[in-house]
Amino acid sequence: MMDILACPIDKNHPLELYEIKEKNNVVSEGALFCPKCSRFYPIIEEIPIMLPDELRNKEQEIEFLTNNKKNLPEKIITMANPWHL
């Protein structure tokens, strides 16, 4: 799937993948990161949530960042768009 995913904001490809939990070669929790616009997209229950900023759930994504701050790189936790810790 990584071969076809692109950032919905700037269409950048490829995206960086950060795995937190994986089972049977499927990422069940993690994050995608666009190095061009510095946006992150959480992967929750095997689903990459790749919505435009205005449709994203800030509360859910801040909770995701808080719960995974030890498992994700600094650039996602403290500098990513549209929000960070």
mmCIF file of all heavy atoms in Angstrom, residues 11-59:
data_model
loop_
_atom_site.group_PDB
_atom_site.id
_atom_site.type_symbol
_atom_site.label_atom_id
_atom_site.label_comp_id
_atom_site.label_asym_id
_atom_site.label_seq_id
_atom_site.Cartn_x
_atom_site.Cartn_y
_atom_site.Cartn_z
ATOM 1 N N LYS A 11 0.386 16.124 -2.289
ATOM 2 C CA LYS A 11 0.548 14.989 -3.216
ATOM 3 C C LYS A 11 1.950 14.397 -3.206
ATOM 4 O O LYS A 11 2.339 13.678 -4.115
ATOM 5 C CB LYS A 11 0.154 15.366 -4.651
ATOM 6 C CG LYS A 11 -1.173 16.080 -4.777
ATOM 7 C CD LYS A 11 -2.319 15.270 -4.239
ATOM 8 C CE LYS A 11 -3.626 16.004 -4.470
ATOM 9 N NZ LYS A 11 -4.481 16.072 -3.340
ATOM 10 N N ASN A 12 2.745 14.709 -2.172
ATOM 11 C CA ASN A 12 4.106 14.182 -2.074
ATOM 12 C C ASN A 12 4.092 12.662 -1.914
ATOM 13 O O ASN A 12 3.259 12.098 -1.208
ATOM 14 C CB ASN A 12 4.828 14.822 -0.892
ATOM 15 C CG ASN A 12 6.280 14.402 -0.823
ATOM 16 O OD1 ASN A 12 7.038 14.665 -1.743
ATOM 17 N ND2 ASN A 12 6.659 13.752 0.254
ATOM 18 N N HIS A 13 5.016 12.021 -2.568
ATOM 19 C CA HIS A 13 5.206 10.566 -2.497
ATOM 20 C C HIS A 13 6.696 10.303 -2.603
ATOM 21 O O HIS A 13 7.364 10.965 -3.403
ATOM 22 C CB HIS A 13 4.454 9.888 -3.645
ATOM 23 C CG HIS A 13 4.759 8.424 -3.760
ATOM 24 N ND1 HIS A 13 4.163 7.493 -2.962
ATOM 25 C CD2 HIS A 13 5.613 7.749 -4.565
ATOM 26 C CE1 HIS A 13 4.631 6.298 -3.290
ATOM 27 N NE2 HIS A 13 5.513 6.442 -4.253
ATOM 28 N N PRO A 14 7.272 9.419 -1.844
ATOM 29 C CA PRO A 14 6.666 8.539 -0.846
ATOM 30 C C PRO A 14 6.561 9.219 0.519
ATOM 31 O O PRO A 14 7.222 10.212 0.787
ATOM 32 C CB PRO A 14 7.658 7.374 -0.773
ATOM 33 C CG PRO A 14 8.983 7.995 -1.061
ATOM 34 C CD PRO A 14 8.694 9.106 -2.058
ATOM 35 N N LEU A 15 5.733 8.620 1.361
ATOM 36 C CA LEU A 15 5.595 9.053 2.745
ATOM 37 C C LEU A 15 6.479 8.175 3.625
ATOM 38 O O LEU A 15 6.782 7.037 3.269
ATOM 39 C CB LEU A 15 4.134 8.935 3.198
ATOM 40 C CG LEU A 15 3.130 9.769 2.408
ATOM 41 C CD1 LEU A 15 1.717 9.459 2.869
ATOM 42 C CD2 LEU A 15 3.426 11.235 2.543
ATOM 43 N N GLU A 16 6.893 8.710 4.754
ATOM 44 C CA GLU A 16 7.673 7.928 5.712
ATOM 45 C C GLU A 16 6.711 7.167 6.624
ATOM 46 O O GLU A 16 5.718 7.723 7.082
ATOM 47 C CB GLU A 16 8.560 8.843 6.543
ATOM 48 C CG GLU A 16 9.584 9.601 5.725
ATOM 49 C CD GLU A 16 10.343 10.641 6.525
ATOM 50 O OE1 GLU A 16 10.235 10.666 7.778
ATOM 51 O OE2 GLU A 16 11.050 11.445 5.896
ATOM 52 N N LEU A 17 7.025 5.903 6.893
ATOM 53 C CA LEU A 17 6.198 5.058 7.749
ATOM 54 C C LEU A 17 6.912 4.807 9.066
ATOM 55 O O LEU A 17 8.082 4.414 9.079
ATOM 56 C CB LEU A 17 5.917 3.722 7.057
ATOM 57 C CG LEU A 17 5.213 2.645 7.889
ATOM 58 C CD1 LEU A 17 3.806 3.083 8.284
ATOM 59 C CD2 LEU A 17 5.170 1.335 7.110
ATOM 60 N N TYR A 18 6.198 5.022 10.170
ATOM 61 C CA TYR A 18 6.710 4.732 11.510
ATOM 62 C C TYR A 18 5.759 3.743 12.171
ATOM 63 O O TYR A 18 4.618 4.079 12.454
ATOM 64 C CB TYR A 18 6.843 6.013 12.339
ATOM 65 C CG TYR A 18 7.852 6.940 11.730
ATOM 66 C CD1 TYR A 18 7.448 7.969 10.884
ATOM 67 C CD2 TYR A 18 9.211 6.765 11.958
ATOM 68 C CE1 TYR A 18 8.383 8.811 10.295
ATOM 69 C CE2 TYR A 18 10.142 7.599 11.365
ATOM 70 C CZ TYR A 18 9.722 8.610 10.539
ATOM 71 O OH TYR A 18 10.643 9.431 9.938
ATOM 72 N N GLU A 19 6.244 2.527 12.364
ATOM 73 C CA GLU A 19 5.428 1.460 12.940
ATOM 74 C C GLU A 19 5.510 1.488 14.464
ATOM 75 O O GLU A 19 6.583 1.621 15.022
ATOM 76 C CB GLU A 19 5.914 0.099 12.462
ATOM 77 C CG GLU A 19 5.794 -0.103 10.973
ATOM 78 C CD GLU A 19 6.344 -1.455 10.537
ATOM 79 O OE1 GLU A 19 6.421 -2.387 11.361
ATOM 80 O OE2 GLU A 19 6.704 -1.566 9.364
ATOM 81 N N ILE A 20 4.357 1.356 15.110
ATOM 82 C CA ILE A 20 4.302 1.221 16.559
ATOM 83 C C ILE A 20 3.915 -0.209 16.904
ATOM 84 O O ILE A 20 4.557 -0.864 17.707
ATOM 85 C CB ILE A 20 3.320 2.238 17.185
ATOM 86 C CG1 ILE A 20 3.825 3.660 16.928
ATOM 87 C CG2 ILE A 20 3.149 1.975 18.680
ATOM 88 C CD1 ILE A 20 2.831 4.737 17.294
ATOM 89 N N LYS A 21 2.852 -0.690 16.262
ATOM 90 C CA LYS A 21 2.420 -2.080 16.444
ATOM 91 C C LYS A 21 2.214 -2.698 15.071
ATOM 92 O O LYS A 21 1.641 -2.075 14.167
ATOM 93 C CB LYS A 21 1.109 -2.155 17.227
ATOM 94 C CG LYS A 21 1.220 -1.728 18.659
ATOM 95 C CD LYS A 21 -0.124 -1.863 19.362
ATOM 96 C CE LYS A 21 -0.040 -1.296 20.771
ATOM 97 N NZ LYS A 21 -1.367 -1.245 21.396
ATOM 98 N N GLU A 22 2.662 -3.954 14.942
ATOM 99 C CA GLU A 22 2.553 -4.652 13.672
ATOM 100 C C GLU A 22 2.236 -6.116 13.963
ATOM 101 O O GLU A 22 2.729 -6.688 14.925
ATOM 102 C CB GLU A 22 3.879 -4.526 12.907
ATOM 103 C CG GLU A 22 3.908 -5.218 11.576
ATOM 104 C CD GLU A 22 4.744 -6.481 11.599
ATOM 105 O OE1 GLU A 22 5.730 -6.549 12.345
ATOM 106 O OE2 GLU A 22 4.366 -7.417 10.886
ATOM 107 N N LYS A 23 1.377 -6.699 13.138
ATOM 108 C CA LYS A 23 1.031 -8.112 13.278
ATOM 109 C C LYS A 23 0.832 -8.694 11.889
ATOM 110 O O LYS A 23 0.079 -8.136 11.084
ATOM 111 C CB LYS A 23 -0.234 -8.261 14.124
ATOM 112 C CG LYS A 23 -0.589 -9.706 14.416
ATOM 113 C CD LYS A 23 -1.785 -9.810 15.333
ATOM 114 C CE LYS A 23 -2.110 -11.254 15.606
ATOM 115 N NZ LYS A 23 -3.290 -11.405 16.438
ATOM 116 N N ASN A 24 1.514 -9.779 11.616
ATOM 117 C CA ASN A 24 1.421 -10.456 10.314
ATOM 118 C C ASN A 24 1.701 -9.508 9.149
ATOM 119 O O ASN A 24 0.971 -9.487 8.164
ATOM 120 C CB ASN A 24 0.045 -11.120 10.143
ATOM 121 C CG ASN A 24 -0.228 -12.166 11.197
ATOM 122 O OD1 ASN A 24 0.688 -12.863 11.634
ATOM 123 N ND2 ASN A 24 -1.470 -12.275 11.615
ATOM 124 N N ASN A 25 2.746 -8.693 9.289
ATOM 125 C CA ASN A 25 3.165 -7.739 8.258
ATOM 126 C C ASN A 25 2.137 -6.653 7.955
ATOM 127 O O ASN A 25 2.136 -6.070 6.879
ATOM 128 C CB ASN A 25 3.562 -8.461 6.962
ATOM 129 C CG ASN A 25 4.844 -9.246 7.126
ATOM 130 O OD1 ASN A 25 5.738 -8.832 7.867
ATOM 131 N ND2 ASN A 25 4.943 -10.372 6.455
ATOM 132 N N VAL A 26 1.241 -6.402 8.909
ATOM 133 C CA VAL A 26 0.259 -5.331 8.772
ATOM 134 C C VAL A 26 0.460 -4.367 9.941
ATOM 135 O O VAL A 26 0.465 -4.787 11.099
ATOM 136 C CB VAL A 26 -1.187 -5.882 8.775
ATOM 137 C CG1 VAL A 26 -2.203 -4.754 8.747
ATOM 138 C CG2 VAL A 26 -1.407 -6.823 7.601
ATOM 139 N N VAL A 27 0.618 -3.087 9.641
ATOM 140 C CA VAL A 27 0.782 -2.083 10.690
ATOM 141 C C VAL A 27 -0.590 -1.802 11.293
ATOM 142 O O VAL A 27 -1.494 -1.334 10.600
ATOM 143 C CB VAL A 27 1.406 -0.784 10.136
ATOM 144 C CG1 VAL A 27 1.507 0.267 11.225
ATOM 145 C CG2 VAL A 27 2.769 -1.065 9.527
ATOM 146 N N SER A 28 -0.745 -2.100 12.576
ATOM 147 C CA SER A 28 -2.032 -1.846 13.224
ATOM 148 C C SER A 28 -2.049 -0.489 13.917
ATOM 149 O O SER A 28 -3.112 0.088 14.124
ATOM 150 C CB SER A 28 -2.364 -2.949 14.222
ATOM 151 O OG SER A 28 -1.374 -3.037 15.217
ATOM 152 N N GLU A 29 -0.854 0.016 14.259
ATOM 153 C CA GLU A 29 -0.759 1.343 14.852
ATOM 154 C C GLU A 29 0.575 1.948 14.443
ATOM 155 O O GLU A 29 1.599 1.286 14.433
ATOM 156 C CB GLU A 29 -0.861 1.263 16.370
ATOM 157 C CG GLU A 29 -1.039 2.601 17.031
ATOM 158 C CD GLU A 29 -1.402 2.480 18.503
ATOM 159 O OE1 GLU A 29 -1.804 1.402 18.959
ATOM 160 O OE2 GLU A 29 -1.278 3.495 19.194
ATOM 161 N N GLY A 30 0.530 3.224 14.077
ATOM 162 C CA GLY A 30 1.746 3.904 13.659
ATOM 163 C C GLY A 30 1.408 5.269 13.095
ATOM 164 O O GLY A 30 0.350 5.828 13.385
ATOM 165 N N ALA A 31 2.315 5.773 12.270
ATOM 166 C CA ALA A 31 2.094 7.089 11.680
ATOM 167 C C ALA A 31 2.773 7.158 10.317
ATOM 168 O O ALA A 31 3.805 6.529 10.086
ATOM 169 C CB ALA A 31 2.636 8.182 12.585
ATOM 170 N N LEU A 32 2.162 7.943 9.447
ATOM 171 C CA LEU A 32 2.761 8.306 8.167
ATOM 172 C C LEU A 32 3.181 9.762 8.294
ATOM 173 O O LEU A 32 2.509 10.553 8.952
ATOM 174 C CB LEU A 32 1.752 8.137 7.035
ATOM 175 C CG LEU A 32 1.275 6.712 6.792
ATOM 176 C CD1 LEU A 32 0.074 6.708 5.860
ATOM 177 C CD2 LEU A 32 2.397 5.876 6.225
ATOM 178 N N PHE A 33 4.287 10.111 7.644
ATOM 179 C CA PHE A 33 4.806 11.472 7.731
ATOM 180 C C PHE A 33 5.190 11.949 6.344
ATOM 181 O O PHE A 33 5.854 11.241 5.591
ATOM 182 C CB PHE A 33 6.026 11.507 8.657
ATOM 183 C CG PHE A 33 6.628 12.871 8.828
ATOM 184 C CD1 PHE A 33 6.021 13.817 9.630
ATOM 185 C CD2 PHE A 33 7.794 13.210 8.165
ATOM 186 C CE1 PHE A 33 6.573 15.086 9.787
ATOM 187 C CE2 PHE A 33 8.363 14.467 8.317
ATOM 188 C CZ PHE A 33 7.749 15.408 9.124
ATOM 189 N N CYS A 34 4.750 13.161 6.009
ATOM 190 C CA CYS A 34 5.115 13.782 4.734
ATOM 191 C C CYS A 34 6.309 14.706 4.978
ATOM 192 O O CYS A 34 6.173 15.723 5.660
ATOM 193 C CB CYS A 34 3.939 14.575 4.171
ATOM 194 S SG CYS A 34 4.361 15.446 2.646
ATOM 195 N N PRO A 35 7.472 14.379 4.413
ATOM 196 C CA PRO A 35 8.646 15.229 4.631
ATOM 197 C C PRO A 35 8.558 16.585 3.929
ATOM 198 O O PRO A 35 9.248 17.522 4.307
ATOM 199 C CB PRO A 35 9.802 14.397 4.083
ATOM 200 C CG PRO A 35 9.185 13.424 3.148
ATOM 201 C CD PRO A 35 7.791 13.189 3.637
ATOM 202 N N LYS A 36 7.660 16.718 2.970
ATOM 203 C CA LYS A 36 7.533 17.986 2.244
ATOM 204 C C LYS A 36 6.763 19.035 3.045
ATOM 205 O O LYS A 36 7.191 20.180 3.168
ATOM 206 C CB LYS A 36 6.866 17.746 0.888
ATOM 207 C CG LYS A 36 6.831 18.961 0.002
ATOM 208 C CD LYS A 36 6.296 18.621 -1.371
ATOM 209 C CE LYS A 36 6.227 19.847 -2.264
ATOM 210 N NZ LYS A 36 5.645 19.515 -3.562
ATOM 211 N N CYS A 37 5.613 18.654 3.612
ATOM 212 C CA CYS A 37 4.799 19.627 4.355
ATOM 213 C C CYS A 37 4.804 19.386 5.864
ATOM 214 O O CYS A 37 4.128 20.093 6.605
ATOM 215 C CB CYS A 37 3.368 19.650 3.824
ATOM 216 S SG CYS A 37 2.409 18.166 4.166
ATOM 217 N N SER A 38 5.514 18.367 6.306
ATOM 218 C CA SER A 38 5.659 18.021 7.731
ATOM 219 C C SER A 38 4.350 17.623 8.407
ATOM 220 O O SER A 38 4.185 17.787 9.605
ATOM 221 C CB SER A 38 6.320 19.162 8.516
ATOM 222 O OG SER A 38 7.620 19.382 8.039
ATOM 223 N N ARG A 39 3.412 17.090 7.634
ATOM 224 C CA ARG A 39 2.165 16.611 8.232
ATOM 225 C C ARG A 39 2.315 15.137 8.604
ATOM 226 O O ARG A 39 2.968 14.386 7.906
ATOM 227 C CB ARG A 39 1.003 16.757 7.263
ATOM 228 C CG ARG A 39 0.407 18.124 7.309
ATOM 229 C CD ARG A 39 -0.739 18.284 6.326
ATOM 230 N NE ARG A 39 -1.328 19.584 6.498
ATOM 231 C CZ ARG A 39 -0.741 20.719 6.142
ATOM 232 N NH1 ARG A 39 0.446 20.708 5.590
ATOM 233 N NH2 ARG A 39 -1.337 21.879 6.354
ATOM 234 N N PHE A 40 1.671 14.782 9.717
ATOM 235 C CA PHE A 40 1.620 13.376 10.094
ATOM 236 C C PHE A 40 0.181 12.891 9.961
ATOM 237 O O PHE A 40 -0.769 13.670 10.042
ATOM 238 C CB PHE A 40 2.141 13.174 11.531
ATOM 239 C CG PHE A 40 1.096 13.350 12.594
ATOM 240 C CD1 PHE A 40 0.441 12.262 13.130
ATOM 241 C CD2 PHE A 40 0.755 14.622 13.042
ATOM 242 C CE1 PHE A 40 -0.528 12.429 14.110
ATOM 243 C CE2 PHE A 40 -0.211 14.804 14.016
ATOM 244 C CZ PHE A 40 -0.850 13.703 14.550
ATOM 245 N N TYR A 41 0.069 11.609 9.716
ATOM 246 C CA TYR A 41 -1.235 10.961 9.607
ATOM 247 C C TYR A 41 -1.191 9.707 10.469
ATOM 248 O O TYR A 41 -0.386 8.799 10.200
ATOM 249 C CB TYR A 41 -1.550 10.602 8.147
ATOM 250 C CG TYR A 41 -1.530 11.821 7.252
ATOM 251 C CD1 TYR A 41 -0.405 12.133 6.498
ATOM 252 C CD2 TYR A 41 -2.615 12.684 7.213
ATOM 253 C CE1 TYR A 41 -0.378 13.262 5.695
ATOM 254 C CE2 TYR A 41 -2.593 13.819 6.416
ATOM 255 C CZ TYR A 41 -1.470 14.098 5.663
ATOM 256 O OH TYR A 41 -1.437 15.227 4.886
ATOM 257 N N PRO A 42 -2.023 9.628 11.504
ATOM 258 C CA PRO A 42 -1.981 8.449 12.372
ATOM 259 C C PRO A 42 -2.561 7.217 11.679
ATOM 260 O O PRO A 42 -3.439 7.325 10.819
ATOM 261 C CB PRO A 42 -2.850 8.861 13.567
ATOM 262 C CG PRO A 42 -3.787 9.874 13.028
ATOM 263 C CD PRO A 42 -3.025 10.591 11.943
ATOM 264 N N ILE A 43 -2.029 6.083 12.059
ATOM 265 C CA ILE A 43 -2.594 4.794 11.650
ATOM 266 C C ILE A 43 -3.203 4.211 12.912
ATOM 267 O O ILE A 43 -2.499 3.967 13.894
ATOM 268 C CB ILE A 43 -1.518 3.855 11.083
ATOM 269 C CG1 ILE A 43 -0.853 4.492 9.867
ATOM 270 C CG2 ILE A 43 -2.131 2.493 10.724
ATOM 271 C CD1 ILE A 43 0.389 3.755 9.382
ATOM 272 N N ILE A 44 -4.507 4.033 12.892
ATOM 273 C CA ILE A 44 -5.240 3.531 14.054
ATOM 274 C C ILE A 44 -6.071 2.333 13.616
ATOM 275 O O ILE A 44 -6.851 2.436 12.659
ATOM 276 C CB ILE A 44 -6.138 4.631 14.658
ATOM 277 C CG1 ILE A 44 -5.289 5.835 15.086
ATOM 278 C CG2 ILE A 44 -6.945 4.084 15.838
ATOM 279 C CD1 ILE A 44 -6.075 7.052 15.510
ATOM 280 N N GLU A 45 -5.879 1.199 14.284
ATOM 281 C CA GLU A 45 -6.586 -0.039 13.957
ATOM 282 C C GLU A 45 -6.441 -0.381 12.479
ATOM 283 O O GLU A 45 -7.426 -0.662 11.790
ATOM 284 C CB GLU A 45 -8.051 0.044 14.378
ATOM 285 C CG GLU A 45 -8.232 0.176 15.879
ATOM 286 C CD GLU A 45 -9.683 0.266 16.314
ATOM 287 O OE1 GLU A 45 -10.591 0.028 15.502
ATOM 288 O OE2 GLU A 45 -9.890 0.587 17.495
ATOM 289 N N GLU A 46 -5.206 -0.303 11.983
ATOM 290 C CA GLU A 46 -4.810 -0.645 10.615
ATOM 291 C C GLU A 46 -5.254 0.364 9.557
ATOM 292 O O GLU A 46 -5.012 0.182 8.376
ATOM 293 C CB GLU A 46 -5.318 -2.042 10.210
ATOM 294 C CG GLU A 46 -4.797 -3.155 11.068
ATOM 295 C CD GLU A 46 -5.305 -4.518 10.656
ATOM 296 O OE1 GLU A 46 -5.865 -4.666 9.546
ATOM 297 O OE2 GLU A 46 -5.153 -5.455 11.457
ATOM 298 N N ILE A 47 -5.890 1.461 9.959
ATOM 299 C CA ILE A 47 -6.425 2.425 8.992
ATOM 300 C C ILE A 47 -5.633 3.730 9.051
ATOM 301 O O ILE A 47 -5.612 4.397 10.091
ATOM 302 C CB ILE A 47 -7.912 2.714 9.265
ATOM 303 C CG1 ILE A 47 -8.719 1.428 9.151
ATOM 304 C CG2 ILE A 47 -8.441 3.783 8.305
ATOM 305 C CD1 ILE A 47 -10.134 1.537 9.637
ATOM 306 N N PRO A 48 -4.979 4.105 7.941
ATOM 307 C CA PRO A 48 -4.323 5.416 7.914
ATOM 308 C C PRO A 48 -5.374 6.516 7.783
ATOM 309 O O PRO A 48 -6.207 6.487 6.869
ATOM 310 C CB PRO A 48 -3.417 5.353 6.684
ATOM 311 C CG PRO A 48 -3.916 4.215 5.866
ATOM 312 C CD PRO A 48 -4.740 3.340 6.749
ATOM 313 N N ILE A 49 -5.373 7.459 8.702
ATOM 314 C CA ILE A 49 -6.366 8.526 8.698
ATOM 315 C C ILE A 49 -5.744 9.719 7.983
ATOM 316 O O ILE A 49 -5.013 10.506 8.569
ATOM 317 C CB ILE A 49 -6.811 8.858 10.131
ATOM 318 C CG1 ILE A 49 -7.381 7.589 10.772
ATOM 319 C CG2 ILE A 49 -7.833 9.998 10.126
ATOM 320 C CD1 ILE A 49 -7.730 7.691 12.205
ATOM 321 N N MET A 50 -6.046 9.821 6.697
ATOM 322 C CA MET A 50 -5.407 10.804 5.826
ATOM 323 C C MET A 50 -6.432 11.811 5.315
ATOM 324 O O MET A 50 -6.772 11.843 4.139
ATOM 325 C CB MET A 50 -4.705 10.085 4.675
ATOM 326 C CG MET A 50 -3.635 9.129 5.158
ATOM 327 S SD MET A 50 -2.799 8.283 3.840
ATOM 328 C CE MET A 50 -1.863 9.645 3.141
ATOM 329 N N LEU A 51 -6.933 12.625 6.220
ATOM 330 C CA LEU A 51 -7.944 13.622 5.893
ATOM 331 C C LEU A 51 -7.311 15.005 5.777
ATOM 332 O O LEU A 51 -6.280 15.276 6.388
ATOM 333 C CB LEU A 51 -9.005 13.656 6.985
ATOM 334 C CG LEU A 51 -9.814 12.378 7.178
ATOM 335 C CD1 LEU A 51 -10.652 12.468 8.443
ATOM 336 C CD2 LEU A 51 -10.672 12.108 5.970
ATOM 337 N N PRO A 52 -7.949 15.924 5.037
ATOM 338 C CA PRO A 52 -7.494 17.316 5.044
ATOM 339 C C PRO A 52 -7.625 17.888 6.452
ATOM 340 O O PRO A 52 -8.439 17.430 7.253
ATOM 341 C CB PRO A 52 -8.440 18.024 4.074
ATOM 342 C CG PRO A 52 -9.260 16.981 3.421
ATOM 343 C CD PRO A 52 -9.100 15.705 4.177
ATOM 344 N N ASP A 53 -6.829 18.894 6.748
ATOM 345 C CA ASP A 53 -6.771 19.463 8.103
ATOM 346 C C ASP A 53 -8.139 19.811 8.673
ATOM 347 O O ASP A 53 -8.414 19.553 9.842
ATOM 348 C CB ASP A 53 -5.889 20.719 8.115
ATOM 349 C CG ASP A 53 -4.440 20.415 7.801
ATOM 350 O OD1 ASP A 53 -4.051 19.222 7.766
ATOM 351 O OD2 ASP A 53 -3.687 21.370 7.587
ATOM 352 N N GLU A 54 -9.005 20.400 7.874
ATOM 353 C CA GLU A 54 -10.298 20.858 8.385
ATOM 354 C C GLU A 54 -11.235 19.708 8.778
ATOM 355 O O GLU A 54 -12.226 19.917 9.482
ATOM 356 C CB GLU A 54 -10.991 21.795 7.392
ATOM 357 C CG GLU A 54 -11.341 21.180 6.069
ATOM 358 C CD GLU A 54 -10.236 21.248 5.016
ATOM 359 O OE1 GLU A 54 -9.092 21.640 5.320
ATOM 360 O OE2 GLU A 54 -10.533 20.886 3.864
ATOM 361 N N LEU A 55 -10.940 18.487 8.345
ATOM 362 C CA LEU A 55 -11.777 17.334 8.693
ATOM 363 C C LEU A 55 -11.153 16.445 9.761
ATOM 364 O O LEU A 55 -11.747 15.444 10.162
ATOM 365 C CB LEU A 55 -12.059 16.498 7.438
ATOM 366 C CG LEU A 55 -12.824 17.209 6.325
ATOM 367 C CD1 LEU A 55 -12.968 16.302 5.118
ATOM 368 C CD2 LEU A 55 -14.178 17.676 6.816
ATOM 369 N N ARG A 56 -9.967 16.808 10.215
ATOM 370 C CA ARG A 56 -9.268 15.987 11.194
ATOM 371 C C ARG A 56 -9.800 16.230 12.601
ATOM 372 O O ARG A 56 -10.292 17.308 12.922
ATOM 373 C CB ARG A 56 -7.773 16.275 11.133
ATOM 374 C CG ARG A 56 -7.193 15.837 9.790
ATOM 375 C CD ARG A 56 -5.776 16.220 9.631
ATOM 376 N NE ARG A 56 -4.924 15.336 10.445
ATOM 377 C CZ ARG A 56 -3.641 15.164 10.209
ATOM 378 N NH1 ARG A 56 -3.045 15.817 9.228
ATOM 379 N NH2 ARG A 56 -2.935 14.381 10.977
ATOM 380 N N ASN A 57 -9.697 15.191 13.439
ATOM 381 C CA ASN A 57 -10.167 15.241 14.823
ATOM 382 C C ASN A 57 -8.976 15.584 15.717
ATOM 383 O O ASN A 57 -8.189 14.709 16.090
ATOM 384 C CB ASN A 57 -10.775 13.894 15.205
ATOM 385 C CG ASN A 57 -11.349 13.870 16.593
ATOM 386 O OD1 ASN A 57 -10.908 14.592 17.484
ATOM 387 N ND2 ASN A 57 -12.337 13.017 16.788
ATOM 388 N N LYS A 58 -8.838 16.857 16.060
ATOM 389 C CA LYS A 58 -7.687 17.319 16.839
ATOM 390 C C LYS A 58 -7.571 16.587 18.168
ATOM 391 O O LYS A 58 -6.485 16.151 18.551
ATOM 392 C CB LYS A 58 -7.761 18.825 17.061
ATOM 393 C CG LYS A 58 -6.556 19.361 17.811
ATOM 394 C CD LYS A 58 -6.597 20.867 17.959
ATOM 395 C CE LYS A 58 -5.356 21.378 18.680
ATOM 396 N NZ LYS A 58 -5.364 22.831 18.788
ATOM 397 N N GLU A 59 -8.657 16.452 18.876
ATOM 398 C CA GLU A 59 -8.631 15.792 20.185
ATOM 399 C C GLU A 59 -8.113 14.358 20.074
ATOM 400 O O GLU A 59 -7.266 13.927 20.858
ATOM 401 C CB GLU A 59 -10.033 15.813 20.791
ATOM 402 C CG GLU A 59 -10.103 15.258 22.194
ATOM 403 C CD GLU A 59 -11.500 15.361 22.773
ATOM 404 O OE1 GLU A 59 -12.043 16.485 22.801
ATOM 405 O OE2 GLU A 59 -12.038 14.326 23.184
#
